[in-house]
Amino acid sequence: MNPRYFLFGFLALLAIAPQFLPPFYVTLLNYIGLYALVALGLVL
């Protein structure tokens, strides 16, 4: 299978997730994403 399908599926899941998850998990995912961007910025 093409890895693009996994990427598109993951992005679609992330787009739909805030409608079904409690606010705590949405905030937690936001923090994880933000810290991942900061870590990538420090590495580059």
Side-chain angles (χ1 to χ4, degrees), residues 8-27:
F8 290 140
F10 182 70
L11 290 176
L13 184 65
L14 281 178
I16 298 171
Q19 298 173 0
F20 299 108
L21 291 176
F24 171 76
Y25 290 119
V26 175
T27 304

Side-chain angles (χ1 to χ4, degrees), residues 33-44:
L34 181 64
Y35 289 139
L37 286 175
V38 169
L40 282 172
L42 289 175
V43 169
L44 295 177

